[in-house]
Amino acid sequence: MTENVKKDNSAKDDIEDKAKALGLDYLQEAPKNIPSPVINIIPEEVAKKNKIVAFERVGNSVKVAALDPQDINALNVLRFIAEKEKLEVVLYLAGEQVFKDMIGFYGGPTEMVKEAVQSFQQDMIFNPESEDREASEKRKEEVLKDAPVTKLVQVIISHAIEGHASDIHIEPMEKDYRVRFRVDGILHVSLILPKEIGPVVISRIKILANLKIDEKRKPQDGRFRLSNNNKDIDFRVSTLPVINGEKVVMRILDKDSGITSIESLGLIGTSLENTEKAIKETYGMILMTGPTGSGKSTTLYALLKILNNEERNIITLEDPIEYDIEGLNQSQIKPEIGYTFASGLRTILRQDPNVIMVGEIRDAETAELAVHAALTGHLMFSTLHTNTAIGAIPRLIDMGIEPFLISSSLRMVMAQRLVRKICDDCKEKETVPELVKKNIKEEVKKISEKELEKYGIDPDGEVVFYHGKGCEKCNGTGLKGRVAIYEAVPITEKMKSIITEKAGSEILITEERDRMGLLTMKQDGLLKALKGLTTLEEIERVTGGTFALAEEDV
């Protein structure tokens, strides 16, 4: 062991001395990760032949490690690549082991697919007539544990994480399998798998999630955890039988990046103030509305995070538990054994809770129990699938909840959508047509000066918008990350009267909201576009209508 340490130190000293003599920086160890767009600046065959590998890029400057920085052929190749790609090369010296480790970052999904195909073509798994069923199943299990399959699944997952995807979709098509990543709410095709590889990849994922690999006729749900760059990441797996086979969707749950402050999520101004006031109540119900994937659960977790301390007993009922948060008592419902939101809510009311979070109000029984819990000294959080915040009130009435119970229990209704943020690395001013500017100025006039001040916007200032021109950091889209746009409506005495006396008339409550000067989601989005957080196109995409035509908010 001592001899190995001496060898390592000696090699390190040699590299250091050589780097000094050449006037170059050197790498003591290989980077923990090299993004695919960076390493592929130099093709794999060229990198191996000339002993050069790209490992980091900042703007037009790319860092390249070389085993022999004095190799004329290697330097000529680098000069050619630099001129072709309009890049500036910064050369680093690397030792043999470091260089070998870095070459290992080649072999993206496409190469893994080729390797897996070759492996399967040599196997008899696709010729079941040649052996009995038991032997075939045994052979199948061996192939599923085989290195190419395991590595292919790992590469697909690591590329999804590297690309900040929230979901991985693996879908059977007529002639092949399609792998898509959802990044910032938009699906992108990442990889095409041959028809024979798809089922084996799906079976490997089912093994990881502890699902039955031979059950393909009905949906299954499971979870698994993997370590990526020394960070544990959970995956929620859902399978679904479809016309061409079986589809798998994996939700990537990175609890470090998922839970953040409500300010960083996008709550600003009066909406933030009203929300902070509502969660300080000792009892009552706060409802979050919006479609699937609009970030409702993330916002609720952020609110619970504020309340999470030793003085409160916080219990959640979820399906599924997306983030494991220390200090919260989180319970996973299991409808197959009769443990539903309704039965779970009955149980946790006997657990002496101060704060309760129910993942979703899906039926009349859960709605009734949630309302009664809110009236008996509990602060209740939940979500509801409606298009608008105010739409939650008639929805509860449709579920059979008496209007007077709603008016007594409800503290606030909120709605939200997620819009993509402008990439900070390539952000620039955008030229907007005069008609659009005129319409936006008219829209801004409807917002109180006090509210504009809270957003940091000058009502008399020039209308300036931004967009991303596209760069490597945002994969040329000009957009990176997401921010929420909100509508937060506190239930006032006037609104309580409308709910009780007018059966929760949506028109009258909307008029009262406008009279109070509360922002709509579209107005909140417009102000965030004026602040340079997002684009007009993104606001129009999630709220409908267009600012050019000055359509009314819907």
Side-chain angles (χ1 to χ4, degrees), residues 339-359:
Y339 184 43
T340 61
F341 280 126
S343 63
L345 192 45
R346 276 198 202 88
T347 303
I348 65 175
L349 286 171
R350 296 194 286 271
Q351 289 280 319
D352 185 33
N354 301 104
V355 180
I356 301 168
M357 195 265 268
V358 174

Side-chain angles (χ1 to χ4, degrees), residues 54-213:
F55 64 92
E56 189 179 322
R57 179 174 176 173
V58 180
N60 289 328
S61 175
V62 62
K63 294 179 181 177
V64 175
L67 206 57
D68 181 5
Q70 293 177 303
D71 184 335
I72 300 298
N73 289 333
L75 293 173
N76 285 336
V77 167
L78 277 178
R79 195 176 296 114
F80 174 77
I81 291 171
E83 287 174 4
K84 184 185 173 189
E85 302 292 333
K86 295 183 174 61
L87 294 170
E88 182 187 331
V89 173
V90 181
L91 212 55
Y92 279 69
L93 179 65
E96 283 191 21
Q97 187 55 50
V98 171
F99 182 79
K100 188 178 176 183
D101 291 343
M102 292 169 76
I103 285 291
F105 284 104
Y106 282 103
T110 307
E111 287 75 16
M112 289 298 102
V113 170
K114 288 176 186 173
E115 193 178 331
V117 170
Q118 289 169 2
S119 171
F120 297 143
Q121 283 173 346
Q122 295 163 7
D123 204 279
M124 292 173 65
I125 189 169
F126 302 117
N127 188 18
E129 290 84 2
S130 64
E131 53 189 29
D132 61 41
R133 184 179 177 81
E134 189 177 334
S136 179
E137 286 300 316
K138 191 175 180 182
R139 182 70 62 87
K140 189 174 182 179
E141 285 180 22
E142 288 172 5
V143 171
L144 287 173
K145 293 174 185 174
D146 195 21
V149 188
T150 305
K151 197 170 180 184
L152 177 56
V153 172
Q154 286 175 343
V155 168
I156 289 171
I157 288 172
S158 63
H159 275 249
I161 294 168
E162 184 186 296
H164 305 290
S166 60
D167 300 86
I168 303 169
H169 292 238
I170 303 176
E171 307 158 308
M173 311 302 285
E174 193 174 340
K175 295 179 180 176
D176 47 39
Y177 274 69
R178 180 174 65 180
V179 179
R180 293 193 289 172
F181 296 161
R182 188 178 293 280
V183 180
D184 294 336
I186 307 295
L187 279 168
H188 303 278
V189 175
S190 170
L191 184 65
I192 299 296
L193 300 174
K195 194 72 174 175
E196 67 269 25
I197 302 293
V200 190
V201 168
I202 286 174
S203 293
R204 176 63 191 162
I205 292 164
K206 287 166 83 172
I207 287 171
L208 287 171
N210 203 23
L211 302 177
K212 295 177 182 175
I213 62 170

Side-chain angles (χ1 to χ4, degrees), residues 202-442:
I202 286 174
S203 293
R204 176 63 191 162
I205 292 164
K206 287 166 83 172
I207 287 171
L208 287 171
N210 203 23
L211 302 177
K212 295 177 182 175
I213 62 170
D214 57 342
E215 179 56 81
K216 298 175 182 177
R217 297 169 300 167
K218 63 182 182 182
Q220 296 185 76
D221 292 297
R223 298 173 74 94
F224 66 90
R225 177 176 289 181
L226 287 180
S227 180
N228 185 70
N229 288 336
N230 299 318
K231 187 166 68 172
D232 285 340
I233 295 177
D234 289 327
F235 295 83
R236 191 177 82 210
V237 179
S238 171
T239 71
L240 180 74
V242 292
I243 191 166
N244 290 312
E246 194 174 19
K247 172 177 175 171
V248 163
V249 174
M250 289 185 279
R251 168 66 56 88
I252 302 170
L253 305 171
D254 182 354
K255 75 177 177 185
D256 291 338
S257 64
I259 310 301
T260 182
S261 66
I262 51 174
E263 292 90 347
S264 62
L265 289 174
L267 266 174
I268 306 174
T270 306
S271 295
L272 175 61
E273 292 164 9
N274 286 334
T275 304
E276 288 176 332
K277 185 180 175 184
I279 65 173
K280 286 175 184 172
E281 298 278 356
T282 53
Y283 71 95
M285 185 155 65
I286 296 168
L287 282 180
M288 179 68 65
T289 71
T292 303
S294 60
K296 302 185 298 295
S297 297
T298 303
T299 298
L300 288 184
Y301 278 125
L303 296 178
L304 291 177
K305 194 177 176 183
I306 297 170
L307 299 170
N308 187 12
N309 61 39
E310 292 180 357
E311 297 169 6
R312 291 189 179 92
N313 178 20
I314 303 175
I315 303 180
T316 73
L317 269 179
E318 303 176 55
D319 182 28
I321 296 171
E322 295 201 7
Y323 300 101
D324 181 9
I325 304 170
E326 192 173 347
L328 267 58
N329 300 288
Q330 296 170 270
S331 184
Q332 166 78 52
I333 70 159
K334 292 178 181 173
E336 64 273 15
I337 59 169
Y339 184 43
T340 61
F341 280 126
S343 63
L345 192 45
R346 276 198 202 88
T347 303
I348 65 175
L349 286 171
R350 296 194 286 271
Q351 289 280 319
D352 185 33
N354 301 104
V355 180
I356 301 168
M357 195 265 268
V358 174
E360 186 186 340
I361 294 177
R362 295 176 180 171
D363 52 56
E365 189 180 6
T366 308
E368 189 178 349
L369 286 165
V371 167
H372 283 291
L375 287 170
T376 53
H378 306 95
L379 190 58
M380 165 68 68
F381 294 87
S382 193
T383 69
L384 205 59
H385 281 274
T386 61
N387 283 327
T388 62
I390 291 164
I393 295 163
R395 178 84 179 97
L396 288 172
I397 294 171
D398 286 345
M399 284 181 165
I401 308 300
E402 293 291 343
F404 75 91
L405 290 175
I406 297 172
S407 67
S408 303
S409 61
L410 203 56
R411 293 283 173 270
M412 171 173 274
V413 283
M414 300 174 71
Q416 77 172 78
R417 301 289 188 276
L418 291 173
V419 294
R420 291 180 289 174
K421 289 170 68 178
I422 298 170
C423 174
D424 290 328
D425 291 283
C426 59
K427 186 175 180 179
E428 63 179 15
K429 285 185 180 180
E430 183 179 25
T431 306
V432 178
E434 287 303 316
L435 174 64
V436 175
K437 281 187 180 180
K438 182 185 173 186
N439 290 333
I440 281 162
K441 280 185 177 178
E442 290 299 316

